[in-house]
Amino acid sequence: HHFQLTGLIDANGRLLMANRTALNLIGAELRDVVGELFWETPWWTHSEQEQQRLRNVMLQAMDGV
């Protein structure tokens, strides 16, 4: 059994893949979230503050900061 939430995003922050455990947590199928910006997926939309923090950190990482 796989108990960890695992995903893969591209260099622009878009979700490419998520494992079944992660999808089950939000009650979604991969087709529901693939291609979405990671910080705009249901894993993060419960908290606008956390969503913005993640977005900012990911944008900085994408810029090499």
Side-chain angles (χ1 to χ4, degrees), residues 4-63:
Q4 293 182 329
L5 308 180
T6 305
L8 178 66
I9 58 172
D10 69 11
N12 297 310
R14 294 198 180 274
L15 186 73
L16 300 174
M17 183 61 67
N19 70 348
R20 176 53 40 202
T21 302
L23 293 168
N24 287 345
L25 179 69
I26 60 170
E29 295 296 324
L30 187 58
R31 67 179 172 270
D32 300 327
V33 292
V34 75
E36 297 295 322
L37 292 168
F38 184 57
W39 54 86
E40 293 180 1
T41 61
W43 292 285
W44 298 100
T45 55
H46 67 281
S47 169
E48 188 174 334
Q49 181 180 8
E50 287 299 309
Q51 186 179 24
Q52 288 302 316
R53 186 179 70 78
L54 177 63
R55 177 184 176 274
N56 292 340
V57 168
M58 290 185 72
L59 290 174
Q60 288 177 357
M62 287 183 248
D63 285 339

